[in-house]
Amino acid sequence: MTVLVLDNPELIAKAAIAAGFNPAAFEAGSKRPHRMKFHYGFNKHSLDTDDIAFLEQHAAYLRQHPSVSVRIHGHSDNFGTADYNAFLSRLRANAVARILMQEGVAESRILMAHWGASRPLATPEDHAANRRVELEYLTLDVARAL
């Protein structure tokens, strides 16, 4: 086995850029926000101002990374009928999508899933933990590398 060691930083940088590396993605303001779950009060589908601030950070990240899409997973607790819980989880996901679009994320980059109470995060009795929206980032970069 042959191992090639390059100790020319300029050559490595040029090769990385030619391969599609985006140096701007590593700037301080372009890190992906760490918070991916947003919780709701009982029978609510609107977010508080702290949650909206985090979603604005997600929107900024998505605007800086046009190859990344997001899937929004809406969930509810197990109070009420299955139909109502599915409806409530759809309202929650739509509220998050609306904020992202208002912040400049294209609708075509937003996918939504509405799970109702069928995918609890915690035990079904932990109602507060199950009333949530989760964000999932989707990218084709890994597929291209393989």
Side-chain angles (χ1 to χ4, degrees), residues 94-110:
N94 286 340
V96 170
R98 188 171 37 255
I99 291 168
L100 292 176
M101 287 187 287
Q102 288 171 349
E103 292 296 318
V105 178
E107 184 177 356
S108 62
R109 296 175 55 204
I110 300 172

Side-chain angles (χ1 to χ4, degrees), residues 44-119:
K44 303 290 184 202
H45 64 274
S46 58
L47 294 163
D48 63 26
T49 55
D50 290 339
D51 294 333
I52 292 171
F54 270 104
L55 286 173
E56 289 169 349
Q57 292 175 13
H58 282 282
Y61 176 83
L62 289 165
R63 285 192 312 268
Q64 292 174 358
H65 298 86
S67 66
V68 177
S69 296
V70 65
R71 179 175 291 132
I72 303 168
H73 298 270
H75 300 273
S76 69
D77 60 23
N78 61 356
F79 280 125
T81 66
D83 287 340
Y84 179 74
N85 288 333
F87 173 71
L88 188 57
S89 67
R90 186 178 313 117
L91 287 176
R92 290 172 175 165
N94 286 340
V96 170
R98 188 171 37 255
I99 291 168
L100 292 176
M101 287 187 287
Q102 288 171 349
E103 292 296 318
V105 178
E107 184 177 356
S108 62
R109 296 175 55 204
I110 300 172
L111 305 166
M112 289 194 284
H114 321 108
W115 301 106
S118 66
R119 294 188 176 188

